[in-house]
Amino acid sequence: MPPPAGSVMAADGGANMAFRRRSSAAGNNTAEQARAALIKAFEGADLDKSGMVTKEELALVIKDQLHIQLTDPINDLDIIFDSLDEDKSGLVSMEEFCRLFEPTIVRRASSSASATMDIDDLMKETFSAILVDAKLERSVVIQGFMRANHEIEKSGKGFGVSFWGSKWRFKIFDGFYTHPKDPATGLLVDVTKRFAHLQQRLNKAQSGEDEWLNSQLETDEDFKKEVKNPTAVAEYCKIWLSVLQERAHEVDESQRARHAASNASNASNCST
């Protein structure tokens, strides 16, 4: 579906070319030149000149300027945007934008005197690294989700016995992982904390102590229609959790490696 007339996504090619000129005017920059080029790249991405970059504006940069193909466009964009939006304001400031790329600049600057600092390449590398972590995590989460269903079916307590339909399972997936809210604050859980959050919620759910899930079982029409035996839901959550625990070290190691690189560059910054 085409974007509505007048939206950022419907902006003409002039804005696209402006970004390209600002972001890739130089190829082999020094670290300081790269930081200055990032500021210009931010200004090019800020199409409405508000001083902040929206998710819609970021999507335009990723798709039309960097030509990054997102495997899961909605979730991948959310992950990249959340990584930029440190204060969770729903907008990305220049400082947040530049800070995300600092570890890549530092690594490239220290690896070789002739290391390229092309801004498009630098941004692609940084975004790709974020998505590698996300894809590993998501694959582990989905593996557990699918194995839980398989094990319940294999035990003879699945479809037609303990439940009818699958909407309840996908609502748990969404409520616990895709768009989870912190029970204490009601705020969306930061994307970097969702794997741990999912494990915490499943741990409570397997013992019947998750208040949100208990409420869904009692009040949600799909849960009431489909779930005949709530103990099967608890068993489902237990199996799902066991898979996450088995493979948690893989996710942790991947995230630690990227966070270590980020922390190593905290002394350096990109500023106006």
Side-chain angles (χ1 to χ4, degrees), residues 31-231:
E32 288 307 315
Q33 288 173 330
R35 293 180 182 115
L38 272 175
I39 292 173
K40 293 185 180 298
F42 177 88
E43 293 170 347
D46 178 21
L47 296 179
D48 62 3
K49 306 308 173 190
S50 64
M52 306 290 279
V53 169
T54 66
K55 187 180 292 186
E56 190 178 34
E57 288 170 331
L58 178 66
L60 186 64
V61 170
I62 291 171
K63 179 183 177 184
D64 294 344
Q65 277 73 52
L66 300 179
H67 302 292
I68 297 175
Q69 297 297 318
L70 302 180
T71 305
D72 185 342
I74 295 176
N75 286 324
D76 286 353
L77 177 60
D78 284 347
I79 287 164
I80 291 174
F81 189 82
D82 284 355
S83 297
L84 284 160
D85 182 19
E86 294 180 353
D87 64 3
K88 307 310 167 192
S89 65
L91 298 168
V92 175
S93 68
M94 182 181 291
E95 290 75 17
E96 289 173 323
F97 183 85
C98 294
R99 193 153 45 235
L100 182 71
F101 304 106
E102 186 64 19
T104 309
I105 291 175
V106 171
R107 183 188 58 75
R108 289 191 177 197
S110 62
S111 63
S112 170
S114 61
T116 179
M117 289 288 182
D118 180 82
I119 297 304
D120 279 7
D121 288 344
L122 189 149
M123 293 171 70
K124 286 180 182 179
E125 179 182 336
T126 303
F127 288 155
S128 295
I130 291 169
L131 292 179
V132 166
D133 288 350
K135 287 172 183 176
L136 172 59
E137 176 185 308
R138 194 181 304 148
S139 71
V140 172
V141 170
I142 292 174
Q143 180 193 18
F145 183 75
M146 299 302 292
R147 185 189 294 179
N149 187 60
H150 175 73
E151 293 296 330
I152 293 290
E153 290 292 341
K154 190 169 68 173
S155 71
K157 296 183 290 186
F159 186 84
V161 179
S162 297
F163 54 84
W164 298 88
S166 295
K167 289 181 179 178
W168 66 273
R169 292 193 299 123
F170 290 100
K171 285 193 172 183
I172 293 176
F173 189 97
D174 190 56
F176 280 7
Y177 182 68
T178 309
H179 298 103
K181 291 185 178 180
D182 186 328
T185 65
L187 300 176
L188 282 174
V189 175
D190 185 278
V191 67
T192 62
K193 299 177 181 177
R194 288 181 187 174
F195 188 71
H197 177 83
L198 173 60
Q199 293 181 75
Q200 293 166 3
R201 297 294 293 276
L202 290 174
N203 187 47
K204 288 187 175 182
Q206 71 174 340
S207 56
E209 297 176 358
D210 188 87
E211 293 182 4
W212 175 84
L213 180 55
N214 291 341
S215 175
Q216 294 294 98
L217 287 165
E218 293 177 1
T219 63
D220 184 273
E221 290 303 318
D222 289 325
F223 276 82
K224 291 195 295 182
K225 184 190 305 181
E226 294 184 353
V227 178
K228 297 174 62 178
N229 181 5
T231 60

Side-chain angles (χ1 to χ4, degrees), residues 103 133 192 252-266:
D133 288 350
T192 62
D252 291 343
E253 287 171 5
S254 176
Q255 292 178 345
R256 271 199 302 270
R258 184 160 59 84
H259 292 162
S262 178
N263 292 335
S265 67
N266 280 343

Side-chain angles (χ1 to χ4, degrees), residues 2-11:
S7 72
V8 172
M9 295 298 284

